[in-house]
Amino acid sequence: MTPLCTDAQGQPMAAASQESARRFDLAVDAYLGARVDTPARLAALLDDDPSCVLGHCLEGYLHMLSSQRAGIGRAVEALRRADAAAARVATVTARERSHLRALAAWARGDMRDAVQYWDAALAAGPRDLVALKVSQFVLSYLGESERMRDTVARVLPSWDLGMPGYGFVLGCDAYALEETGDYVSAEAQGRRAVDLNPSDIWAAHAVAHVTEMEGRVQEGVAWIASVSGHWVECNNFRLHLRWHEALFHLDLERHARVLELYDREIRRESSDEYLDVANAVSLLWRLEQAGVDVGTRWHELADRARGHVNDHALVFADLHYLMALAADADAVAAFLASCARFAATATGTEAAVMAQVGLPLARAIVAHRRGSYGEVVDLVEPVRRHIRRIGGSHAQRDLFDQLLIDAALRGRRLDLAAELLAERTARRPHNIWGWKQYATTLNALGASGAAAAHRRVEQLRNP
């Protein structure tokens, strides 16, 4: 029977030896640090010690994090190995039982049940970095920012500066605080985490989000430049930070720089990772909305998207794949039909999101591409307050807010556009895009505030 050992935070876990537990800790550190060698570290551990229950669970989580249909089958296989390892363990801890149940729930598509089991794991072991991190990922894609914030708040009293992994917890806290609008605390936590570990890209990412949401675009560019040298061992998540950098340059109308970043960094390789595709898709759409000719860049993304017509692991990913295909009538029809079947016949969390929010957004994307702007407004306006349910960050979901506003403008629904932009500029008073569109709208309406809105754009671009 496999003995109980302890992880770096002093929590019991099944492993063949304390050396195996140490190697598990190294794999967890790699995962939290978004390191490219995470799968290799984990594979080496499990090859030498197949009795490590949490190691198998982490392997399953990594497959689920791919958000691709093929990854689900691989996660189920990892769960089978985890269950077999648990059968050989003298004592299965409450934390391990919770992880086994969480992986099973996530693999069958029940993301809410999975989160409850991670809550249980954290109740049993509040210094469980894996439960904290995967819970944050899933809660982010459920659009439950407040719960994400509260999950970190519950475990923080069990951590201190001298404990291994403390900086990663601060990074999780920073992102959760940013997504709930506490930008001052979020930035402080994120910068503190980066001070502790300059290669903590998740914490650096949280600070970048703060500068995005507060419209501090010049500071955002400088921040990414100051920390990006520490990401040489990071995986493709570093490209998401380049996406953030591109958004800052887009606000400043540095279109040549945006395209350079796109070609040199964001799509230097034709990656099939859903986040890489989402970065590229949303950036090309924003560039086109700004009147920039993006050439043939859509073609490569469309080729990638065709391979994911039946994935439906995340509605967020589906919508970005669909946007990549929106100019291809036959491919779009097949994708929309697949989305409708998934919404009507599948069980699980994302099927309900697809039915209630995803399908209207999907149809709006296609309508926008063919110039049916009134139809876009009619599809999106009724669900706009529920878009958070597709998940992702505020910065990522802003694509769909912009889609609605752009359609209202192009479709001459100027009163609605003005209302939406009044809300936006009140909510994000330093957002250049919002003020620029507001100035355009007020000018089209002949409203007296147009000149002041134009001045506000210039003030924000040249503080």
Side-chain angles (χ1 to χ4, degrees):
M1 301 291 277
T2 300
L4 282 179
C5 301
T6 55
D7 63 17
Q9 290 74 37
Q11 300 170 120
M13 60 173 289
S17 66
Q18 195 56 44
E19 174 61 19
S20 287
R22 187 190 70 82
R23 293 174 73 181
F24 173 74
D25 292 329
L26 293 175
V28 171
D29 281 349
Y31 163 51
L32 271 289
R35 288 175 55 108
V36 71
D37 62 349
T38 303
R41 288 191 186 198
L42 187 57
L45 161 66
L46 294 175
D47 284 346
D48 288 347
D49 181 11
S51 68
C52 184
V53 175
L54 291 178
H56 290 295
C57 288
L58 179 55
E59 181 190 12
Y61 295 151
L62 295 181
H63 290 310
M64 291 301 300
L65 288 165
S66 74
S67 299
Q68 296 182 1
R69 180 61 49 185
I72 298 173
R74 297 186 188 109
V76 170
E77 285 300 306
L79 175 62
R80 181 188 59 77
R81 291 189 289 272
D83 284 332
R88 299 190 297 268
V89 173
T91 302
V92 180
T93 67
R95 178 169 68 126
E96 288 164 330
R97 283 195 298 271
S98 294
H99 274 287
L100 290 167
R101 291 166 180 161
L103 179 54
W106 196 5
R108 69 173 178 264
D110 195 334
M111 295 162 72
R112 295 187 183 284
D113 263 12
V115 170
Q116 291 192 358
Y117 288 124
W118 289 316
D119 282 347
L122 288 166
R127 297 185 297 277
D128 186 333
L129 284 168
V130 174
L132 184 66
K133 183 67 173 177
V134 291
S135 174
Q136 180 156 102
F137 175 90
V138 169
L139 285 171
S140 179
Y141 279 102
L142 289 172
E144 296 194 11
S145 303
E146 291 78 12
R147 188 172 176 184
M148 183 167 59
R149 175 201 61 202
D150 295 344
T151 298
V152 186
R154 285 197 302 272
V155 303
L156 266 174
S158 298
W159 287 86
D160 60 55
L161 181 60
M163 201 167 289
Y166 179 59
F168 290 133
V169 179
L170 295 181
C172 288
D173 195 33
Y175 179 70
L177 290 167
E178 180 275 322
E179 286 297 294
T180 49
D182 187 351
Y183 300 132
V184 172
S185 298
E187 184 166 3
Q189 290 289 65
R191 288 181 179 272
R192 188 179 176 200
V194 171
D195 286 343
L196 291 172
N197 177 8
S199 66
D200 187 344
I201 193 170
W202 186 250
H205 162 255
V207 176
H209 268 277
V210 172
T211 59
E212 157 75 15
M213 297 306 294
E214 292 193 325
R216 293 155 49 197
V217 293
Q218 302 279 11
E219 289 181 61
V221 171
W223 169 250
I224 291 174
S226 73
V227 294
S228 59
H230 298 283
W231 302 338
V232 291
E233 295 181 331
C234 290
N235 59 26
N236 66 306
F237 191 70
R238 74 190 186 282
L239 303 179
H240 182 63
L241 272 291
R242 294 302 182 191
W243 174 79
H244 277 280
E245 182 182 355
L247 291 186
F248 295 135
H249 289 298
L250 186 58
D251 260 350
L252 297 169
E253 295 189 341
R254 298 171 179 168
H255 298 148
R257 175 62 174 151
V258 175
L259 289 171
E260 179 191 0
L261 275 169
Y262 184 96
D263 294 334
R264 196 190 71 215
E265 300 276 357
I266 294 167
R267 290 307 282 177
R268 180 178 60 191
E269 298 178 2
S270 182
S271 161
D272 202 37
E273 297 284 340
Y274 86 93
L275 183 58
D276 294 348
V277 173
N279 293 335
V281 163
S282 64
L283 190 56
L284 289 190
W285 189 90
R286 286 173 165 94
L287 282 164
E288 287 193 333
Q289 189 272 336
V292 177
D293 182 357
V294 301
T296 61
R297 291 176 177 88
W298 281 114
H299 296 168
E300 176 264 328
L301 294 174
D303 287 343
R304 285 299 186 183
R306 287 186 183 92
H308 299 286
V309 171
N310 296 307
D311 271 9
H312 306 310
L314 287 176
V315 171
F316 174 89
D318 283 343
L319 293 173
H320 286 81
Y321 292 139
L322 186 65
M323 190 170 280
L325 288 169
D328 183 332
D330 291 339
V332 158
F335 210 138
L336 282 175
S338 179
C339 289
R341 283 194 302 273
F342 174 68
T345 64
T347 59
T349 310
E350 291 297 275
V353 175
M354 179 65 83
Q356 296 158 17
V357 184
L359 279 175
L361 292 178
R363 290 165 179 152
I365 287 167
V366 177
H368 191 282
R369 176 57 75 179
R370 67 171 184 257
S372 299
Y373 301 117
E375 184 180 350
V376 175
V377 172
D378 292 341
L379 285 163
V380 179
E381 205 280 331
V383 301
R384 69 184 181 93
R385 298 193 185 281
H386 304 287
I387 291 175
R388 66 181 293 172
R389 292 183 59 200
I390 72 170
S393 66
H394 291 298
Q396 290 171 313
R397 292 192 302 271
D398 194 40
L399 175 67
F400 300 100
D401 289 339
Q402 291 191 24
L403 183 85
L404 173 59
I405 291 168
D406 183 71
L409 273 168
R410 293 175 190 264
R412 307 302 293 173
R413 304 274 190 95
L414 297 179
D415 288 337
L416 174 61
E419 291 171 6
L420 294 171
L421 286 160
E423 289 179 15
R424 183 187 181 91
T425 52
R427 187 174 68 250
R428 298 181 63 178
H430 303 288
N431 178 249
I432 295 173
W433 186 90
W435 280 107
K436 183 179 178 181
Q437 305 308 311
Y438 202 16
T440 299
T441 304
L442 293 174
N443 187 62
L445 286 167
S448 59
H454 278 295
R455 287 194 298 272
R456 181 63 174 149
V457 172
E458 293 309 310
Q459 290 168 356
L460 291 169
R461 285 207 179 113
N462 303 287

